[in-house]
Amino acid sequence: MSTPIVQDRNDSSKGMNGLTAKEQSLLLGIRKRKSELLDDIQRLKVEIAEVSAEMDTVEQRDNGSKDDPRAKQLSTGRRNLTLILAREWNT
């Protein structure tokens, strides 16, 4: 009195690695999805690095222009605009 799973495991239709065709198909799908996810992770790491580098550049530029009154005024204006947009977005 074997269960279907045990009978399936004892079936002579297993491949060389001991998996049935259905199991091999599932394994192939899992490996493909894993590869896609790893590619996505790598792409996101590159994007994060690019954004971080851009933020560093902007920060250095802003820090270097603190003595410039026009740059200070623009920075304050940008900050105020961001706050206004954030308030409007949340309402």
Side-chain angles (χ1 to χ4, degrees), residues 3-14 18-20 23:
T3 63
I5 295 173
V6 173
Q7 287 175 351
D8 191 31
R9 292 248 180 244
N10 294 332
D11 192 4
S12 63
S13 65
K14 292 185 207 177
L19 299 176
T20 64
E23 291 170 333

Side-chain angles (χ1 to χ4, degrees), residues 2-76:
S2 297
T3 63
I5 295 173
V6 173
Q7 287 175 351
D8 191 31
R9 292 248 180 244
N10 294 332
D11 192 4
S12 63
S13 65
K14 292 185 207 177
M16 290 177 48
N17 57 3
L19 299 176
T20 64
K22 184 177 179 180
E23 291 170 333
Q24 289 176 355
S25 175
L26 287 172
L27 185 59
L28 182 63
I30 290 169
R31 287 180 176 161
K32 182 179 177 185
R33 182 66 180 141
K34 177 183 175 183
S35 176
E36 291 169 355
L37 289 172
L38 289 173
D39 289 343
D40 287 345
I41 290 170
Q42 187 61 36
R43 182 183 48 80
L44 289 171
K45 284 181 179 180
V46 169
E47 286 182 31
I48 289 170
E50 290 172 356
V51 169
S52 294
E54 187 176 336
M55 288 173 58
D56 289 343
T57 301
V58 169
E59 188 175 293
Q60 288 174 357
R61 184 184 66 214
D62 288 347
N63 287 340
S65 61
K66 285 187 177 184
D67 297 334
D68 182 13
R70 177 147 171 77
K72 191 172 186 178
Q73 184 179 14
L74 286 172
S75 177
T76 303

